[in-house]
Amino acid sequence: MSQSPAVHAGTRIGHVHLKVADLDRALGFYCGVLGFELMQRMGSGAAFISAGGYHHHIGLNTWESKGGSPPPPGTTGLFHTAILYPTRPALADALHRVLTAGIALDGASDHGVSEALYLRDPDENGVELYWDKPKEQWPLGPDGKLAMFTKRLDVEGLLKQRGGVMP
């Protein structure tokens, strides 16, 4: 495989669009638990939600999936949607919301570059809630290259950061 020119450094993933079985149930999770804002709803078929008034960060639809079931293990598809929070206290607030709603975590990890919580939405889609540590704190190997790792995240310690949340 030949090396092609790198993608522009300003390129970002703009939004994700998820197939869901029940739109109201999905909105209950993404808006009711995580706190996203409903920007537009198209009947019972689709909804667009965001943080901070953007047109949409997440699209939810039942166009091909109304009443459907999650894909079985061992099939291809989306592993998880990763939602980036701006600060550690904002991630702590998200953790508090999830636990208050009685939603179990699949995992919680410190990756050196970020701290991440892993869970499932009502349609069994994987969801990662995370914040990036400042770049100067990222771990580097002896060669100066990024050296990410996976260690257990101190969830109780994270929850104690909740007091510093700014909207």
Side-chain angles (χ1 to χ4, degrees):
M1 180 177 199
S2 66
Q3 183 85 13
S4 60
V7 67
H8 187 280
T11 303
R12 300 285 182 264
I13 303 298
H15 68 270
V16 64
H17 209 116
L18 301 174
K19 296 190 292 184
V20 299
D22 181 310
L23 189 59
D24 288 328
R25 183 179 70 182
L27 287 169
F29 174 76
Y30 287 99
C31 295
V33 175
L34 295 184
F36 282 87
E37 177 185 3
L38 177 64
M39 299 305 293
Q40 182 177 359
R41 184 169 179 154
M42 300 170 75
S44 63
F48 301 92
I49 62 176
S50 84
Y54 186 64
H55 56 79
H56 74 289
H57 289 106
I58 302 172
L60 304 164
N61 79 66
T62 60
W63 299 325
E64 298 176 0
S65 55
K66 188 171 184 137
S69 58
T75 59
T76 60
L78 182 70
F79 184 71
H80 66 232
T81 299
I83 299 170
L84 175 61
Y85 288 82
T87 64
R88 192 166 198 253
L91 180 63
D93 182 63
L95 173 60
H96 175 77
R97 290 166 173 266
V98 166
L99 295 178
T100 299
I103 298 168
L105 295 178
D106 289 344
S109 299
D110 178 344
H111 295 297
V113 296
S114 63
E115 292 180 325
L117 307 169
Y118 300 95
L119 57 143
R120 304 233 157 241
D121 77 4
D123 289 287
E124 295 298 315
N125 292 307
V127 178
E128 175 184 354
L129 310 177
Y130 76 106
W131 83 284
D132 278 334
K133 296 178 181 181
K135 195 170 184 176
E136 52 276 3
Q137 293 179 16
W138 293 2
L140 302 176
D143 60 359
K145 293 190 177 186
L146 190 60
M148 292 173 52
F149 54 77
T150 299
K151 294 181 181 174
R152 184 184 162 278
L153 178 64
D154 175 8
V155 174
E156 291 301 319
L158 175 60
L159 275 174
K160 291 177 184 171
Q161 295 292 307
R162 191 168 158 254
V165 173
M166 297 297 290

